[in-house]
Amino acid sequence: NLHTHEPFLLEDMEKAVERILLAIEKNEKICIYSDYDADGVPAAVVLHDFLKKIGYTNFEIYIPHRHDEGFGLNGEAIKTIAKNASTLLITLDCGITDVAEVEQANDLGIDVIITDHHIPGEELPPAFAIINPKRALNKYPFDMLCGSGVAFKLVQAILKKKSFGLKEGWEKWLLDMVGLATCADMVPLTGENRIFAYYGLKVLRKSPRAGLLSLFQKLKVNQKHLTEDDIGFTIGPRIN
C-alpha cells in the first residue's frame, strides 16, 4: 500500500468522491480544468487515465493558455465550459482563490470541485468541495503535496469507494505522472512526496507513454536510468 496517507483525511474528500461517482452514474459531462505547467499537466493526465481506464468518456480537459488566459479559472473559460454542457468542473493545481469564477460557474449550473495545493486566501470560493492539504481544517498529516499529488489522492479515494473492477493498487501506474510533477514542482522531497518521487521514477523508467518517449529521445535522456535531476532540469522545463 505504498505507506501513503488515508485520502479521506483531506477535508471535503468524501463529498467530492460522492459527487464524482454520481456524475459517472448519471453520465454527466465532466470538465477537468488543469494548470498549464509541469504540475497541472501531469495532474490532468492522472484524471484522464483514470476515467479512460474505467471506461468513462463523457469528459473534456481544459488547459488555459498561459499568455492569453493566465493562471487559474477565468470567466471566458467558464462560459465555454457551460456552453459545452459540462455540469461538473474539477480543477487541478488551481482554483483555490477564484471566488468570482466559482460563483459564475454555480450560476451557470456547474458544480465545482477544487483540488489545489496553493495557499488559500481569506475567502474560500463557494465550491461544492475543496480538497487542499493546506486547508486549516484538514486532519491530513502532510501539507506539502503538489497538485498532481492531490489529484492522485482523489483517484485513490474514488477507488476506495468503488473499484470499477480494477485490481487493487492499479493506481500505482499513475505515479509516473505524480513523480514527474513532484520532482518538477520543487516541493520538498520528504514524507509522502518522497514515496511519490521514488515509485514515480520506477514507473517512469518503464513508461510506455508515447509523448514521454519522444521527449526522452529528443532530450537524450536515458529512460532506464532516469533521475530526479533529469526531471527537474531537463523534462520539467520543457513541459512548462
Side-chain angles (χ1 to χ4, degrees):
N1 181 16
L2 295 177
H3 315 297
T4 60
H5 303 302
E6 167 55 61
F8 287 103
L9 291 174
L10 285 158
E11 184 72 18
D12 278 0
M13 184 63 92
E14 192 82 44
K15 271 175 83 176
V17 168
E18 275 171 21
R19 181 66 187 85
I20 291 166
L21 288 175
L22 180 70
I24 290 170
E25 199 183 304
K26 292 165 94 178
N27 198 35
E28 286 180 63
K29 183 152 188 197
I30 301 171
C31 176
I32 291 160
Y33 190 108
S34 89
D35 187 25
Y36 43 69
D37 68 2
D39 185 11
V41 174
V45 177
V46 166
L47 238 60
H48 166 278
D49 286 8
F50 164 67
L51 290 171
K52 276 276 198 285
K53 184 73 183 174
I54 64 168
Y56 197 76
T57 54
N58 195 13
F59 71 95
E60 63 169 349
I61 291 180
Y62 190 105
I63 299 178
H65 188 285
R66 181 188 291 262
H67 301 297
D68 299 346
E69 295 178 87
F71 177 71
L73 294 169
N74 68 81
E76 285 310 305
I78 302 281
K79 281 184 207 156
T80 305
I81 291 160
K83 220 187 315 205
N84 293 346
S86 286
T87 48
L88 178 61
L89 170 62
I90 304 172
T91 75
L92 301 170
D93 191 30
C94 64
I96 193 67
T97 55
D98 299 331
V99 178
E101 290 76 11
V102 173
E103 268 167 14
Q104 180 191 353
N106 290 344
D107 291 344
L108 292 168
I110 301 170
D111 281 341
V112 181
I113 293 172
I114 291 172
T115 77
D116 201 350
H117 69 121
H118 295 98
I119 294 169
E122 287 289 288
E123 187 188 350
L124 287 177
F128 183 86
I130 300 176
I131 300 164
N132 184 332
K134 291 194 176 72
R135 281 188 75 177
L137 295 167
N138 277 325
K139 296 180 181 67
Y140 200 72
F142 186 69
D143 67 357
M144 296 309 286
L145 293 172
C146 68
S148 289
V150 181
F152 181 77
K153 299 312 294 187
L154 178 62
V155 171
Q156 251 189 345
I158 295 168
L159 287 172
K160 273 192 144 183
K161 272 271 186 284
K162 186 172 180 176
S163 73
F164 293 96
L166 299 186
K167 252 171 74 177
E168 198 183 336
W170 168 83
E171 67 274 15
K172 68 176 177 289
W173 298 111
L174 303 172
L175 286 173
D176 57 350
M177 291 294 102
V178 183
L180 189 151
T182 299
C183 295
D185 209 51
M186 299 303 175
V187 285
L189 290 183
T190 55
E192 206 167 11
N193 287 342
R194 201 176 175 76
I195 294 165
F196 288 160
Y198 176 79
Y199 288 101
L201 280 166
K202 273 188 175 330
V203 180
L204 273 167
R205 290 179 190 132
K206 296 194 188 84
S207 177
R209 295 181 191 275
L212 274 178
L213 297 183
S214 63
L215 201 56
F216 291 155
Q217 215 176 343
K218 207 174 161 67
L219 302 172
K220 298 191 174 27
V221 167
N222 182 336
Q223 184 182 8
K224 280 195 175 63
H225 303 291
L226 191 75
T227 66
E228 283 105 331
D229 282 354
D230 290 329
I231 294 172
F233 300 112
T234 312
I235 296 159
R238 289 308 186 291
I239 297 174
N240 276 329

